[in-house]
Amino acid sequence: LPAFQQGEEVFGGVPARLAFALAATNNRDSLSGLARLVETEGLDLDQRINAMKVLASLGTVEHRALVLERLADFEESNRLAVLAALVESERQAPANADRLVEMLNAQDRGVQNAVVRLAGHWQLAKAYEPISQILTRESATYDARLAAARSLASINPEQARQRFKDVVMKSSIRNAQATAIAAWIESDAEQAATAAVEFLSQTQDQAETPQIFAAFVEQKEGPELLAKVLAGRQLAASVAAAGIQQAEQSGRDVSALIAALNRAGSLNTNDQDWTPARIASVLKDVQASGDARRGEAVFRRAELNCFQCHAIGGAGGAVGPDLSSLGGSARTADILQSLVNPSAKIKEGYQA
């Protein structure tokens, strides 16, 4: 590195070898040399992308300006890795940041989402209107809509809240309404709660509700707030059950919300209606997004009293079987059966 900084020829003057060495050092002192190489024609595409990722992650604001300028020359499919590095770096916007607006029409969804997130982080006012249109675009995915909503809230919080209200009140796209409510909850849960319950009370489709329940559960006071606004309201049983399932999986003490959802959905709290279809749905969710840490948090919740009967790692009760090795000795379906109908199959030695 010192020899290169003094202008001496190193690695035989081969740009590809030099770029690899400079990137591998992960050293800020090497960045100026790396930037010079990016401006030359001596690197192939992969080498140029790798060099630009390093500059995006570690470089100065001038280096990020260079990265953005060169990125415009890339084909869309080759932009994602560099954009991701810019997003993850969470650094100051360069002077030419408005060039991002040109990339908002990307056909590649991953590229578009990265551009949207970066525009939000850099708070690009010129990107607000194009991003706002994504929220109600018929072809937009849930991830694209949520990224757009969060970006709007970063660029102009007050204007974004009004936009969310307008989408909820005027859009005919249910997924867009649900996403707007979820984003609204993240920025102002109290204001969004009434709209959220109104939406939940009007749907029979539980597939429209996960983002709303998740947004409330993730907020510190969210579960209690939603429980309060649900008072006296009615929900479809399937919607209330979906909300309960999501609340239970959070690992938090959300007993007030669960009670409110039971009342709103007129559910029998002694019989959660564990039909074969519901069991199959839960098992599918476990395979797709099961989280052992969340499960442990639920197990340790004091109001559930799991530790009164069962032990893990030598701590807990001895009334029921030790669960330390449960994951390696029992099928997921059997574990679920033991949870919803504990008396159906009792382990030998623990019968009353």
Side-chain angles (χ1 to χ4, degrees):
L1 181 59
F4 175 73
Q5 290 173 325
Q6 292 173 14
E8 297 178 20
E9 184 179 283
V10 293
F11 296 106
V14 179
R17 294 175 61 192
L18 180 56
F20 177 83
L22 290 172
T25 65
N26 211 29
N27 186 320
R28 293 181 186 275
D29 292 337
S30 68
L31 296 178
S32 295
L34 202 57
R36 290 199 298 273
L37 286 174
V38 166
E39 295 182 287
T40 71
E41 300 299 325
L43 302 178
D44 65 26
L45 178 62
D46 288 341
Q47 292 160 352
R48 191 178 296 270
I49 289 174
N50 187 48
M52 289 171 64
K53 284 168 58 180
V54 174
L55 292 174
S57 298
L58 300 175
T60 64
V61 67
E62 289 78 14
H63 291 141
R64 288 190 292 283
L66 172 63
V67 166
L68 205 55
E69 180 183 341
R70 295 301 181 191
L71 198 59
D73 299 331
F74 282 24
E75 291 185 9
E76 191 173 284
S77 59
N78 296 320
R79 294 176 179 174
L80 183 55
V82 180
L83 285 167
L86 285 168
V87 171
E88 292 167 8
S89 71
E90 297 187 347
R91 293 176 178 272
Q92 176 187 351
N96 62 346
D98 284 345
R99 295 202 68 171
L100 267 185
V101 178
E102 304 165 12
M103 303 182 200
L104 281 170
N105 292 323
Q107 297 302 306
D108 185 290
R109 289 176 177 175
V111 170
Q112 186 185 75
N113 283 359
V115 172
V116 167
R117 290 177 60 196
L118 190 55
H121 175 67
W122 285 347
Q123 298 181 322
L124 297 184
K126 288 186 178 180
Y128 185 92
E129 285 304 323
I131 292 174
S132 181
Q133 294 171 17
I134 296 173
L135 200 55
T136 52
R137 188 175 294 164
E138 286 276 2
S139 60
T141 63
Y142 166 66
D143 287 342
R145 287 196 175 101
L146 187 59
R150 287 173 171 166
S151 182
L152 295 179
S154 295
I155 296 170
N156 190 322
E158 189 58 40
Q159 190 175 349
R161 281 193 288 271
Q162 185 58 52
R163 173 62 170 150
F164 300 154
K165 293 178 188 178
D166 290 343
V167 171
V168 173
M169 297 296 294
K170 301 175 183 178
S171 177
S172 60
I173 305 172
R174 297 287 290 175
N175 184 270
Q177 290 178 308
T179 307
I181 291 171
W184 191 3
I185 292 165
E186 290 180 3
S187 60
D188 190 343
E190 191 166 352
Q191 286 289 319
T194 300
V197 171
E198 195 66 33
F199 179 91
L200 293 171
S201 67
Q202 292 175 1
T203 186
Q204 301 289 320
D205 185 358
Q206 66 188 64
E208 294 178 345
T209 67
Q211 56 264 47
I212 295 176
F213 286 123
F216 274 111
V217 170
E218 289 168 5
Q219 296 292 315
K220 183 178 180 181
E221 307 297 336
E224 291 77 9
L225 178 59
L226 180 56
K228 179 180 177 181
V229 181
L230 278 169
R233 301 301 298 267
Q234 290 186 328
L235 302 181
S238 60
V239 170
I244 290 171
Q245 181 178 332
Q246 206 155 354
E248 289 174 337
Q249 291 174 349
S250 70
R252 299 180 58 190
D253 178 3
V254 289
S255 53
L257 175 57
I258 291 174
L261 287 167
N262 272 314
R263 289 191 295 269
S266 301
L267 300 177
N268 182 343
T269 56
N270 295 318
D271 178 8
Q272 290 291 318
D273 192 24
W274 285 97
T275 62
R278 186 180 180 199
I279 289 174
S281 175
V282 171
L283 290 174
K284 182 179 179 182
D285 288 345
V286 170
Q287 293 298 323
S289 57
D291 186 328
R293 289 174 297 181
R294 271 205 326 255
E296 182 181 0
V298 171
F299 182 83
R300 292 182 180 278
R301 274 165 43 187
E303 75 272 16
L304 298 181
N305 292 317
C306 301
F307 264 120
Q308 296 297 315
C309 297
H310 298 283
I312 292 182
V319 177
D322 187 299
L323 303 180
S324 300
S325 60
L326 183 66
S329 61
R331 298 183 309 154
T332 305
D334 294 334
I335 296 172
L336 179 58
Q337 178 67 21
S338 295
L339 288 169
V340 302
N341 189 3
S343 300
K345 186 178 180 181
I346 300 176
K347 188 174 181 178
E348 185 176 349
Y350 291 92
Q351 294 90 345

